Amino acid sequence: MLTILEKQGFRAAAEELRTAQPNLSVQARQFQENASVRLFRKIKGGRIRATDTGIAFKVLARFLLETRDDVLDALIAIERGEVNSVRFGSTPLVDQALFRTFCDLHKEMLPVCPVRPTHGDAMHLAEEVVTGTVDAAFVTLPLHHPDLRIEELRRDRLVVCLRRDDPMAAKASLQPSDLQGNLAVLYHPQRHPDAHKRLVELLREAGIEIEACSWASQPSEMQTLVKEGHGLALIREGTSLHEELTTRPIVGVDWTVDTAVIFHKTRHPKTVPILLKRLIRQLPANSKETPLSRASTSVQASFLTTKRPSQRTKDNAAQMTLIG
């Protein structure tokens, strides 16, 4: 049916599939009768025109075919005993609820297979994925390695973390200028050098220069430093906060922390791709600004280090993206 709709006719479809046109006609009629749907209408010249249902069928059928291949690969690997245990990694800045869901989905799919979570920095986990020590990892971008595949999952807005008793907490939102001299708690550069470099670039573009600051190795450490009065921090929106702290958005910018799953291009458990598709289906529809169906790609510098096309907020301020 998919080939018939794509070729817009039985003759072209029969030639593509190297079969007889009457055979396709019988199959198409039986399929539509059994499913009680009408996927196309015949028009002049022996051609067909897809109905609304037929248009939807083309999209969904392609998805089913892609999923079918991943499902069969996973089942064959399981039958052969190739998936005996898996090790999944996560970096500190990743939403741990998302990571736990990924691990739980694998346990649900294959209960007898132990899932061994591990945590580390992005670059360290990337090397472990390349060597096969870790099967897949949740990381924040950017990341560069020719042997890795990447599935971008989510973009979370960065917001300012500050004390509730800070005078700036009286504002509904902060201006970029409010960060100058006050943004003094940052994630340690050595934990993710590329992300730190990109953050510094974006801050400078907004007119913010980083002066003396405190470094933190964990999100919880960043909150502790803010709570103790060492300055403001940028954190992922939705992060659980100490009761003494609050967050405020920044007017005129669109800085995000981007989460992705990485795994080896060829050497990965065959359960990972189908598991990833299941996870993506559970994500909110607005969790990314770009279609998830286009997320799978090799890691390329041009994708990870450039800004998205600038947009305009109501006050016409330029928006930027922190990919890190």
Side-chain angles (χ1 to χ4, degrees), residues 250-265:
I250 311 168
V251 175
V253 299
D254 184 21
W255 299 335
T256 62
V257 54
D258 297 357
T259 301
V261 175
I262 60 171
F263 52 98
H264 197 277
K265 286 182 178 180

Side-chain angles (χ1 to χ4, degrees), residues 110-179:
L110 194 57
V112 298
C113 176
V115 177
R116 308 190 188 283
T118 186
H119 297 269
D121 300 334
M123 298 306 298
H124 180 68
L125 285 176
E127 289 301 324
E128 290 191 322
V129 171
V130 170
T131 60
T133 306
V134 172
D135 296 304
F138 279 62
V139 301
T140 50
L141 303 177
L143 186 65
H144 310 270
H145 201 292
D147 295 329
L148 294 179
R149 285 183 56 192
I150 184 170
E151 291 279 358
E152 186 185 346
L153 292 176
R154 209 168 77 178
R155 293 176 181 171
D156 294 297
R157 182 170 61 166
L158 282 174
V159 292
V160 177
C161 178
L162 67 167
R163 291 175 56 95
R164 289 185 179 275
D165 58 3
D166 190 304
M168 284 189 286
K171 302 180 180 181
S173 59
L174 301 182
Q175 297 289 333
S177 58
D178 291 327
L179 303 183

Side-chain angles (χ1 to χ4, degrees), residues 127-283:
E127 289 301 324
E128 290 191 322
V129 171
V130 170
T131 60
T133 306
V134 172
D135 296 304
F138 279 62
V139 301
T140 50
L141 303 177
L143 186 65
H144 310 270
H145 201 292
D147 295 329
L148 294 179
R149 285 183 56 192
I150 184 170
E151 291 279 358
E152 186 185 346
L153 292 176
R154 209 168 77 178
R155 293 176 181 171
D156 294 297
R157 182 170 61 166
L158 282 174
V159 292
V160 177
C161 178
L162 67 167
R163 291 175 56 95
R164 289 185 179 275
D165 58 3
D166 190 304
M168 284 189 286
K171 302 180 180 181
S173 59
L174 301 182
Q175 297 289 333
S177 58
D178 291 327
L179 303 183
Q180 183 61 50
N182 295 310
L183 182 61
V185 176
L186 297 179
Y187 193 61
H188 202 293
Q190 293 182 0
R191 302 301 298 269
H192 201 330
D194 290 342
H196 178 78
K197 178 182 177 181
R198 184 66 183 132
L199 174 61
V200 171
E201 290 174 352
L202 292 175
L203 290 173
R204 285 176 177 168
E205 290 173 7
I208 304 164
E209 291 290 339
I210 297 297
E211 300 172 353
C213 61
S214 299
W215 306 121
S217 297
Q218 299 287 338
S220 59
E221 294 176 1
M222 297 178 72
Q223 292 194 39
T224 298
L225 291 170
V226 173
K227 186 174 62 174
E228 293 175 350
H230 294 285
L232 309 181
L234 294 175
I235 65 172
R236 176 177 49 81
E237 187 175 32
T239 301
S240 298
L241 296 173
H242 291 294
E243 60 181 11
E244 295 95 337
L245 303 178
T246 187
T247 61
R248 293 292 181 270
I250 311 168
V251 175
V253 299
D254 184 21
W255 299 335
T256 62
V257 54
D258 297 357
T259 301
V261 175
I262 60 171
F263 52 98
H264 197 277
K265 286 182 178 180
T266 56
R267 299 192 315 271
H268 58 266
K270 299 305 181 182
T271 50
V272 169
I274 191 63
L275 182 65
L276 205 48
K277 285 183 171 64
R278 293 190 63 198
L279 179 65
I280 288 172
R281 290 181 62 186
Q282 295 190 14
L283 294 176

